[in-house]
Amino acid sequence: MQILDGKALSLKIREEVKKEVEELKTNGITPGLAVILVGNDPASQTYVKMKAKACKMTGIYSITHEMPEDISEEEIIETIEMMNKNPNIDGILVQLPLPKHIDTTKILEVIDPKKDVDGFHPYNFGRLNQGLDSFVPCTPLGVMELLKEYNIDVKGLNACVVGASNIVGKPMAALLLNSFATVDICHIYTKDLKSHTKRADLLVVGVGKPNLITEDMVKDGAIVIDIGINKVDDKIIGDVDFENVSKKASFITPVPGGVGPMTIAMLLKNTLKAAKNER
Ligand code: NAD
């Protein structure tokens, strides 16, 4: 069994991004990212801080617009429209989840698709599904980079994606399909989850349920990617029972240190891509 070390790869990517940012700066261009954070959700606050820190370390300019929980949709939209017009801002990211009174789809659709570094705009999602160049959501993009780093070719593999959200599972499945895997997508209403996971050469799990995937659900020699992040007794664990599943897997991502750091690295890459596209 080999560990897919997302932490190490993310550091390598950060260095590459840093070099490219330095080059852009010599041409008078500083890539810029605007982050919109609404409310006081501690996890969201932590993620936004991590993103800002990563930007700083790579020389990307970042600004966080912090907004109170009871802010109106109109005020968020006005801020996004301002950022859409700002020539120093290449990427715009709205940290999810948004408070219940805000229509998330409506907000995401206001972001200029050329600045949509999270890849959540339906325009980019549509292009991704057609196999066209687009901004791809950072988490599934990070998974693909990790597979590439370890020379894992997904062509022809039976892949099973557990979790079908717009930001994780669906784009993950689209990327795997675009790379010619045969893809099974499972979700909360899937009957007999094990019958699907057990057949998978490549099992990707992004649900948010600790130990959802146990050893008996995994094929011998499978590649296992755990996207889940769960806080249990002050510890961060994934959706896969790592201790037992790792004994059966050929490759597996740890949590933490697997997909999480790759997500942030891909945000930096997407911001750089936006700056290179538009300036
Ligand atoms: P979500 O709640 O939007 O979606 C969860 C998905 O899992 C849904 O499609 C649902 O149908 C499915 N699901 C729920 N229970 C299930 C079950 N018992 N069996 C099969 N499917 C089931 O969540 P999300 O935003 O997609 O995030 C999923 C997980 O990934 C969370 O733990 C989140 O913290 C984590 N995440 C990690 C990163 C990272 O950088 N590593 C980034 C984003 C999300």
Side-chain angles (χ1 to χ4, degrees):
M1 181 276 297
Q2 195 175 351
I3 294 281
L4 297 169
D5 189 343
K7 195 171 174 198
L9 177 57
S10 73
L11 291 173
K12 196 166 116 182
I13 293 169
R14 280 187 192 208
E15 278 310 308
E16 288 163 10
V17 170
K18 194 174 167 190
K19 269 194 204 127
E20 284 204 54
V21 169
E22 274 162 16
E23 269 173 46
L24 280 179
K25 281 185 174 172
T26 59
N27 297 322
I29 297 164
T30 302
L33 174 71
V35 178
I36 292 166
L37 172 63
V38 184
N40 309 309
D41 176 53
S44 292
Q45 286 172 333
T46 306
Y47 292 139
V48 166
K49 269 191 204 139
M50 285 161 72
K51 289 169 186 175
K53 195 173 156 198
C55 283
K56 200 170 175 196
M57 283 168 67
T58 41
I60 293 174
Y61 165 75
S62 85
I63 180 164
T64 303
H65 294 273
E66 289 189 40
M67 299 179 167
E69 183 83 22
D70 60 354
I71 193 134
S72 68
E73 237 167 51
E74 288 65 36
E75 283 171 279
I76 303 176
I77 289 172
E78 268 170 33
T79 306
I80 296 174
E81 281 171 344
M82 217 165 67
M83 294 297 117
N84 279 344
K85 287 190 207 119
N86 186 335
N88 297 318
I89 294 298
D90 301 288
I92 303 170
L93 175 166
V94 177
Q95 185 65 39
L96 301 181
L98 289 169
K100 291 216 162 40
H101 67 282
I102 306 284
D103 180 343
T104 302
T105 309
K106 191 171 163 189
I107 295 296
L108 294 177
E109 284 191 305
V110 179
I111 298 173
D112 180 344
K114 295 191 216 74
K115 298 191 177 190
D116 174 35
V117 286
D118 252 346
F120 295 165
H121 193 293
Y123 173 83
N124 280 312
F125 188 57
R127 287 186 64 91
L128 167 64
N129 276 280
Q130 293 195 353
L132 302 171
D133 181 52
S134 65
F135 284 108
V136 176
C138 301
T139 301
L141 184 62
V143 171
M144 296 308 285
E145 284 279 330
L146 201 48
L147 293 170
K148 201 166 91 190
E149 176 72 7
Y150 286 83
N151 297 315
I152 298 168
D153 184 2
V154 305
K155 194 190 286 171
L157 293 187
N158 286 329
C160 176
V161 178
V162 186
S165 68
N166 287 338
I167 65 175
V168 176
K170 282 185 202 158
M172 185 74 250
L175 286 167
L176 291 170
L177 179 59
N178 290 346
S179 296
F180 305 108
T182 302
V183 188
D184 215 0
I185 311 172
C186 302
H187 46 78
I188 190 144
Y189 297 113
T190 298
K191 287 178 191 150
D192 191 7
L193 181 62
K194 181 176 167 176
S195 69
H196 295 268
T197 59
K198 190 87 188 164
R199 280 187 314 193
D201 306 309
L202 169 63
L203 177 59
V204 185
V205 191
V207 170
K209 294 227 158 74
N211 297 323
L212 174 72
I213 304 298
T214 47
E215 181 195 358
D216 56 310
M217 298 168 80
V218 178
K219 183 179 174 179
D220 270 324
I223 302 152
V224 180
I225 308 287
D226 190 353
I227 296 174
I229 299 179
N230 307 289
K231 202 167 177 189
V232 177
D233 300 332
D234 274 348
K235 257 181 77 182
I236 299 293
I237 62 168
D239 291 343
V240 175
D241 171 8
F242 182 87
E243 193 186 333
N244 295 306
V245 170
S246 60
K247 290 175 192 149
K248 272 185 121 174
S250 54
F251 293 90
I252 189 166
T253 56
V255 178
V259 178
M262 289 303 296
T263 298
I264 295 191
M266 292 304 107
L267 173 65
L268 301 172
K269 258 193 135 170
N270 278 351
T271 305
L272 183 64
K273 172 177 167 155
K276 290 204 287 195
N277 282 350
E278 289 307 310
R279 301 228 215 162

